[in-house]
Amino acid sequence: MNGLLFLIPIALGLGLLGLAAFFWSLRHGQFDDLDGAALRIFVEDGEDAVP
């Protein structure tokens, strides 16, 4: 029983920390361009292209 009094607040705190990190990343535009990074592999740059 004493273990639950210790573990439940820690679990709730970690859950709230993860939720806060998600909302921070959402507010700072981390999820704005989901397709751009996936399609960037098809764009051929002059510097990075191997002849």
Side-chain angles (χ1 to χ4, degrees):
M1 188 67 178
N2 288 336
L4 289 178
L5 293 175
F6 182 69
L7 292 176
I8 289 176
I10 291 176
L12 289 174
L14 287 175
L16 289 175
L17 183 68
L19 189 63
F22 171 72
F23 282 127
W24 177 85
S25 66
L26 191 65
R27 206 171 346 122
H28 285 83
Q30 295 293 316
F31 302 110
D32 284 347
D33 186 19
L34 295 178
D35 294 329
L39 296 175
R40 198 172 299 134
I41 194 170
F42 297 119
V43 176
E44 196 169 308
D45 290 338
E47 301 170 357
D48 297 334
V50 177

